[in-house]
Amino acid sequence: MPSYTVTVATGSQWFAGTDDYVYLSLEGAAGCSERHLLDKPFYNDFERGAVDSYDVTVEEDLGEIQLIKIEKRKYWYQDDWYLKYITVKTPLGDYLEFPCYRWITDEKEIVLRDGRAKLPRDDKTQILKQHRRKELEDRQKMYRWKEWHPGFPLSIDAHSHSELPRDIQFDNEKGIDFILNYSKAMENLYINRFMHMFQSSWNDFADFEKIFVRISNTISEYVMQHWKEDFMFGYQFLNGCNPVLIRRCTEIPKKFPVTTAMVECSLERNLTLEEEVKQGNVFIVDYELLDGVDANKTDPCTIQYLAAPICLLYKNLENKILPIAIQLGQKPGPENPIFLPSDAMYDWLLAKIWVRSSDFHIHQTVTHLLRTHLVSEVFSIAMFRQLPAVHPLFKLLVPHMRFTIAINTKAREQLICECGLFDKANATGGGGHVQMVQKAMKDLTYSSLCFPEEIKAKGMDSQEDIPYYYYRDDGIKVWEAVKSFAEDVIRIYYENDEVVCEDVELQAFVKDIYVYGMRGVKASGFPKMIKTREKLAEYLTVVMFTTSAQHAAVNFGQYDWCSWIPNAPPTMRCPPPTEKGTVTIEQIVESLPDRGRSCWHLGAVWALSQFQDNELFLGMYPDEHFVEKPVKEAMAKFRKNLDEIVSTITERNKNKKLPYYYLSPDRIPNSVAV
């Protein structure tokens, strides 16, 4: 009688093992086996991290094994089990791999296909077609779209983390509890004693150092020492935690009437301002999006303020980017003066602080929340709804969706909800951040997520003209590595453009993103369908780059650049100055966040800058969804390319006072998980 050797691997997650009854049956082209009992309570099989083997004897050869059915029946109480994979050794000595990487949580039957990736057209038998269709039907019931706020990208239909499908929940919910993490941050940073001092102002800049006592961070200390200097202010537009706003200025806007006479002392080439603009030496950052956004009113004891500044910057003869003019509002006029480096020291300093505060708000809500977290959640939901586990693109993308829906759900539950933690310290709390996302949606375009295209559109692509833009340089290297990997995988499964067009599941995935994620807005430029391998490679690169590299670039530098409060004030308690020559040091300190809000802010940027426990970085794919050798070779090539980028970045950063490492692949998590 034929015998099959079945090997079952249980995950190493906490509580991954099971003491329930576990049954298995094999379904082949020539017949089905009976249901075999593999494990029962107190057998000590299927323990956490265990690999157990069994012999399954059948009456007749089953032919090519197509499906494995696993059934778990509870013994005493519901006992979740994380099944990694099953391998089957056939009577002929062949090995088949059946990836799972899922939680088995109830008494439903789980049906697995072997690990070879298949497009819809590859399934010839009715049983495989039916399995594929049933999987998507079940997923679409679990992963439902929901509107969190009007005008937002749609998100998952779940009010809390515990309502999510078990497969996408965090293993340890406490690990991503924002309230616990903030409390832990306060404790680690020794700032608990200031935490409840809302409305209590600091005495001077040196006073802020009291909450810097536990910081041993090269960049944040450097920021603390140099934050007042113009070079540090300008450098952050290139390589800080929000390096996406600066663009080359092609014309001075009418709403920002800067003249040569105003900035002449800042220009170094004996040219007029207009001539400097024509030569490409002038840059601009415009915070127009903040105009009209309501400031936080959740604390009636503290009035908070927002501004919508415009900042002009200049590339000097040393190729440093320096600020040369700042207007704190969008409408020019006597009560909205243009501040200059030649003004009184505190006038200029306060104008720069207002820009830094505005930059913080755009960073948190648009650059970080909308353009990485919410967009990545759209990609994740669409993937689970439209790509079955056997699809090569599911296997390619699923590592880049790890915990994204979970972290966003937890954020909606605790952080950015009404009366959430975000309201405590941020001037855009209390609803302002919602208005910002709604306004920013008009600029959320497909081309703006194509990294090289967006850099070029801003006029920031020339390494010769702008030599110290490391965000651009490292980002393009990583983009090209990701795109090369996507192209390699596409060539394995899509022999020509026609196969791309015929892939109904791919097209449904793309359509879901356009219709639900981008709300069907034609102006977003998101494709409704994909017709070529070249376009598919670009599309997959957008997905993988956004969920990994782009998020890393704008998330993990928050503690470095925002922990020194005057460099990134989360709120301002006095309105922007309306005239020159009146600003004092006391007025600046009074404008900055009070002690309590400063501590909440510091705890937040510390917590948000931490990697997850057991973080998986770009190119690390321990879950072997792919079993084919050509794909594993493509992965090895990808890792080699990434290692070369790491070496290049490491060499460049040697002896730098301000190293840039946020886009070093060994520091880029695969997914948005924090």
Side-chain angles (χ1 to χ4, degrees):
M1 291 172 40
S3 180
Y4 295 81
T5 302
V6 175
T7 301
V8 183
T10 297
S12 57
Q13 290 86 342
W14 288 108
F15 309 116
T18 183
D19 279 316
D20 290 338
Y21 294 94
V22 176
Y23 301 90
L24 173 142
S25 59
L26 304 174
E27 187 160 339
C32 304
S33 73
E34 295 180 353
R35 193 175 69 156
H36 291 262
L37 176 64
L38 297 186
D39 184 45
K40 60 184 180 180
F42 312 118
Y43 261 44
N44 295 323
D45 282 358
F46 302 153
E47 296 295 305
R48 182 164 67 93
V51 178
D52 302 293
S53 292
Y54 308 88
D55 288 327
V56 175
T57 302
V58 297
E59 295 289 335
E60 296 178 355
D61 192 326
L62 303 177
E64 182 182 358
I65 302 298
Q66 296 182 323
L67 301 173
I68 285 181
K69 296 180 180 179
I70 292 285
E71 194 177 345
K72 182 171 70 70
R73 296 290 175 184
K74 71 179 181 182
Y75 166 64
W76 185 253
Y77 60 91
Q78 193 59 56
D79 187 15
D80 293 354
W81 175 38
Y82 189 83
L83 173 59
K84 289 176 65 178
Y85 62 82
I86 294 175
T87 63
V88 176
K89 182 184 177 184
T90 70
L92 298 176
D94 297 325
Y95 281 90
L96 299 173
E97 298 179 48
F98 293 79
C100 183
Y101 303 106
R102 292 167 56 188
W103 286 95
I104 301 178
T105 59
D106 49 31
E107 296 187 299
K108 291 181 181 177
E109 184 179 69
I110 297 291
V111 184
L112 303 178
R113 288 185 56 163
D114 79 79
R116 292 170 296 178
K118 301 288 185 183
L119 297 175
R121 71 171 197 160
D122 298 327
D123 285 343
K124 306 302 182 185
T125 65
Q126 196 59 38
I127 188 171
L128 295 180
K129 290 178 181 179
Q130 184 180 354
H131 174 263
R132 193 175 197 120
R133 186 168 57 250
K134 177 75 162 54
E135 181 183 3
L136 289 181
E137 287 173 356
D138 290 344
R139 292 243 213 97
Q140 286 165 14
K141 291 174 185 174
M142 287 192 291
Y143 296 86
R144 302 175 305 276
W145 295 103
K146 180 184 177 182
E147 182 180 71
W148 186 47
H149 284 294
F152 274 50
L154 294 194
S155 50
I156 195 75
D157 184 8
H159 295 290
S160 65
H161 178 267
S162 60
E163 289 183 13
L164 295 173
R166 182 67 180 90
D167 288 328
I168 60 170
Q169 292 182 23
F170 280 95
D171 298 328
N172 175 12
E173 190 178 347
K174 287 184 179 180
I176 48 102
D177 188 294
F178 288 107
I179 295 172
L180 288 176
N181 284 349
Y182 277 26
S183 301
K184 180 181 173 184
M186 305 297 178
E187 190 177 323
N188 287 350
L189 297 168
Y190 281 82
I191 54 178
N192 277 319
R193 64 190 186 280
F194 301 116
M195 193 171 159
H196 304 295
M197 294 183 179
F198 282 80
Q199 289 83 49
S200 174
S201 296
W202 303 94
N203 297 317
D204 51 36
F205 292 136
D207 213 14
F208 282 97
E209 292 188 42
K210 291 180 180 177
I211 60 171
F212 240 47
V213 66
R214 288 285 292 179
I215 290 177
S216 56
N217 176 299
T218 306
I219 293 179
S220 59
E221 288 180 357
Y222 195 87
V223 171
M224 179 182 71
Q225 294 161 5
H226 298 279
W227 72 280
K228 296 180 185 178
E229 299 169 33
D230 286 355
F231 97 87
M232 173 61 77
F233 179 89
Y235 179 85
Q236 293 179 72
F237 288 111
L238 298 178
N239 301 310
C241 63
N242 193 30
V244 304
L245 297 184
I246 189 169
R247 60 173 63 242
R248 199 185 293 270
C249 182
T250 56
E251 183 182 9
I252 304 296
K254 289 181 180 179
K255 65 180 181 179
F256 191 24
V258 185
T259 65
T260 299
M262 289 179 180
V263 298
E264 199 165 17
C265 61
S266 297
L267 307 181
E268 299 182 356
R269 295 178 176 84
N270 295 319
L271 300 172
T272 66
L273 179 59
E274 289 72 20
E275 288 168 340
E276 294 278 18
V277 168
K278 284 181 181 176
Q279 288 205 3
N281 298 321
V282 180
F283 303 84
I284 193 166
V285 180
D286 189 347
Y287 297 92
E288 183 180 13
L289 186 114
L290 283 164
D291 194 31
V293 171
D294 295 329
N296 193 337
K297 295 182 177 64
T298 58
D299 180 0
C301 297
T302 301
I303 300 175
Q304 301 178 57
Y305 296 91
L306 293 169
I310 312 171
C311 180
L312 208 63
L313 301 118
Y314 175 69
K315 184 184 72 172
N316 70 6
L317 292 173
E318 295 178 342
N319 284 322
K320 290 182 178 177
I321 304 290
L322 303 173
I324 59 172
I326 294 171
Q327 182 176 285
L328 295 180
Q330 292 288 308
K331 295 178 182 177
E335 294 188 349
N336 188 18
I338 295 175
F339 292 92
L340 307 165
S342 54
D343 290 341
M345 177 176 69
Y346 291 134
D347 282 7
W348 182 235
L349 182 60
L350 182 56
K352 289 192 294 182
I353 289 172
W354 267 105
V355 172
R356 291 295 313 139
S357 183
S358 300
D359 195 81
F360 173 81
H361 296 309
I362 296 289
H363 166 260
Q364 286 289 3
T365 301
V366 180
T367 307
H368 184 208
L369 173 62
L370 172 61
R371 297 182 68 89
T372 64
H373 277 261
L374 299 185
V375 168
S376 296
E377 182 174 2
V378 166
F379 296 152
S380 298
I381 298 169
M383 180 199 72
F384 282 113
R385 285 175 55 83
Q386 304 299 349
L387 299 176
V390 73
H391 198 292
L393 299 188
F394 179 90
K395 294 171 182 283
L396 177 68
L397 296 178
V398 70
H400 301 285
M401 309 303 171
R402 181 174 179 253
F403 298 147
T404 297
I405 299 174
I407 195 70
N408 285 3
T409 302
K410 200 70 178 178
R412 285 188 288 270
E413 201 179 341
Q414 292 184 331
L415 184 63
I416 53 177
C417 56
E418 189 175 349
C419 301
L421 294 175
F422 192 82
D423 290 354
K424 285 187 177 291
N426 292 282
T428 52
H433 60 300
V434 174
Q435 296 172 358
M436 289 173 68
V437 170
Q438 290 166 335
K439 292 174 74 171
M441 279 296 287
K442 74 179 191 308
D443 297 318
L444 178 58
T445 62
Y446 177 76
S447 63
S448 72
L449 297 180
C450 293
F451 188 85
E453 198 172 327
E454 176 68 352
I455 293 287
K456 189 172 183 178
K458 287 183 163 69
M460 301 294 293
D461 52 316
S462 172
Q463 284 186 298
E464 186 178 347
D465 287 351
I466 313 161
Y468 305 120
Y469 196 11
Y470 305 128
Y471 163 74
R472 170 202 61 204
D473 299 341
D474 299 352
I476 286 176
K477 289 186 181 75
V478 175
W479 172 276
E480 292 300 331
V482 171
K483 189 177 181 185
S484 176
F485 176 45
E487 289 169 341
D488 288 345
V489 173
I490 288 167
R491 277 192 291 267
I492 295 169
Y493 297 102
Y494 296 90
E495 59 196 53
N496 53 46
D497 293 345
E498 186 180 348
V499 180
V500 173
C501 293
E502 290 175 354
D503 185 350
V504 293
E505 291 167 350
L506 161 63
Q507 304 303 341
F509 167 66
V510 171
K511 186 177 179 181
D512 244 29
I513 290 170
Y514 172 72
V515 171
Y516 297 104
M518 298 308 117
R519 310 300 296 266
V521 176
K522 192 174 181 181
S524 72
F526 271 76
K528 299 178 186 177
M529 64 179 300
I530 291 180
K531 299 179 181 179
T532 67
R533 293 194 298 177
E534 181 183 2
K535 194 66 178 176
L536 177 57
E538 180 188 77
Y539 196 92
L540 295 175
T541 306
V542 165
V543 174
M544 291 190 286
F545 185 89
T546 301
T547 56
S548 59
Q550 188 60 30
H551 178 256
V554 302
N555 182 73
F556 294 104
Q558 290 187 76
Y559 189 69
D560 291 347
W561 296 100
C562 302
S563 54
W564 178 245
I565 308 292
N567 189 59
T571 190
M572 298 291 275
R573 297 179 298 145
C574 295
T578 56
E579 58 182 322
K580 296 187 182 186
T582 62
V583 178
T584 63
I585 180 67
E586 291 79 15
Q587 183 182 343
I588 293 178
V589 173
E590 195 63 33
S591 295
L592 290 169
D594 54 47
R595 295 170 188 250
R597 287 181 175 83
S598 295
C599 293
W600 273 107
H601 169 81
L602 188 58
V605 296
W606 182 86
L608 292 172
S609 299
Q610 306 304 305
F611 292 121
Q612 285 287 338
D613 293 339
N614 304 315
E615 191 71 81
L616 297 175
F617 295 97
L618 197 57
M620 294 171 59
Y621 302 122
D623 290 356
E624 295 189 58
H625 292 276
F626 282 110
V627 301
E628 296 95 327
K629 185 179 177 183
V631 187
K632 293 187 175 183
E633 290 171 348
M635 287 179 176
K637 176 187 164 187
F638 182 39
R639 282 189 287 270
K640 184 173 181 293
N641 289 341
L642 295 175
D643 289 343
E644 289 172 359
I645 296 171
V646 171
S647 298
T648 301
I649 292 172
T650 303
E651 185 63 31
R652 181 200 64 210
N653 283 338
K654 279 184 180 176
N655 304 318
K656 276 196 180 297
K657 292 178 181 177
L658 283 172
Y660 186 81
Y661 44 71
Y662 309 116
L663 281 168
S664 183
D666 59 343
R667 290 172 178 252
I668 298 174
N670 270 331
S671 62
V672 176
V674 66

